[in-house]
Amino acid sequence: MISKTSKFVAELLGTMVLVLMGCGSAVIAGVGLLGISFAFGLSVVAMAYAIGHISGCHINPAISIAMVAAGRMKIGEAVRYIIAQIIGAIIGAGILYVIFTNHPGAVMGPWALGSNGWGTGYLDAYNTTAAFVAEFIFTFIFLMVILGSTSTKNINGGFAGLAIGFSLVLIHIVGIKVTGVSVNPARSIGPAIFAQGEALSQLWLFIVAPVLGGITAAFTYNLLMETPEQAK
């Protein structure tokens, strides 16, 4: 049986890698929007096969909360996962901060380190309504893929990591100019803590919208496709 500590560490490390590699692709690599989209998706694919057998590779509070709503996870375990995810995201963003600020001419802008945001000065300057709707809907879609691909009724479950990772790539390709794409409160919290300013003041949206989108997906999936599975 896998211990609580092992699951905690797995979620911490997985979220750290997601933030470091995903946000790092935007801050360090200069690979463009398509490259950033694939960096986030491939990070999820890599971690799914690295730690999926240990913790399920949530690496996202919206996923853990949705799993509780779907009847697949106990609340106490979800709380431990979320704490680990937030710590991991902060560590990942901290590593990125150290690397970035030690580059000649580095300047911490208002949405530094790949922070999520919206409005004037952020990418295509979409407003609050567009940002909230995008984060809600994209998280809903993301969780529908996750719930379906990880269902015990899915005979292709071994490919869940690929389905989940590539769905995140797709979501980024469509939504990255709106908010930078969060669909993951931890992914937003880490960079915002170091960026401060607008990134921190706008953080609420990247917590509320993904959580609501995830919960809605959980109820929708159970209502339309299956009864709640036994929580582990």
Side-chain angles (χ1 to χ4, degrees):
M1 187 179 211
I2 298 171
S3 70
K4 294 177 181 178
T5 300
S6 294
K7 292 181 179 181
F8 186 95
V9 173
E11 286 295 307
L12 185 154
L13 290 175
T15 314
M16 180 197 77
V17 170
L18 174 67
V19 172
L20 177 58
M21 297 304 178
C23 294
S25 69
V27 176
I28 299 172
V31 292
L33 299 184
L34 187 59
I36 295 168
S37 300
F38 272 94
F40 274 102
L42 292 175
S43 294
V44 168
V45 172
M47 289 300 99
Y49 291 104
I51 65 170
H53 60 292
I54 300 173
S55 67
C57 189
H58 291 187
I59 60 176
N60 180 342
I63 294 176
S64 298
I65 292 170
M67 288 299 174
V68 173
R72 299 190 191 183
M73 191 178 200
K74 301 288 188 181
I75 294 177
E77 185 172 30
V79 170
R80 290 191 295 272
Y81 270 44
I82 292 168
I83 292 171
Q85 292 154 4
I86 292 173
I87 293 172
I90 294 172
I91 293 172
I95 295 170
L96 184 57
Y97 173 81
V98 170
I99 295 171
F100 175 70
T101 55
N102 279 282
H103 181 274
V107 176
M108 291 285 287
W111 289 281
L113 304 182
S115 295
N116 297 114
W118 74 87
T120 303
Y122 190 89
L123 295 176
D124 277 9
Y126 285 88
N127 65 19
T128 308
T129 300
F132 194 96
V133 170
E135 288 295 324
F136 178 91
I137 295 298
F138 292 149
T139 308
F140 175 87
I141 294 169
F142 190 40
L143 260 297
M144 289 294 284
V145 173
I146 292 169
L147 290 165
S149 61
T150 60
S151 171
T152 56
K153 297 180 181 179
N154 191 332
I155 61 173
N156 297 310
F159 295 98
L162 289 173
I164 294 167
F166 280 106
S167 70
L168 189 59
V169 172
L170 177 61
I171 288 168
H172 273 78
I173 289 173
V174 177
I176 199 167
K177 283 194 172 184
V178 183
T179 62
V181 179
S182 172
V183 301
N184 181 341
R187 172 261 183 269
S188 299
I189 290 170
I193 286 176
F194 292 91
Q196 297 290 303
E198 287 92 337
L200 197 57
S201 68
Q202 294 179 344
L203 183 58
W204 66 269
L205 186 146
F206 301 107
I207 296 173
V208 176
V211 167
L212 291 178
I215 291 173
T216 303
F219 285 121
T220 301
Y221 187 84
N222 281 347
L223 177 64
L224 298 179
M225 302 179 188
E226 62 178 28
T227 57
E229 297 183 29
Q230 183 67 34
K232 295 181 176 63

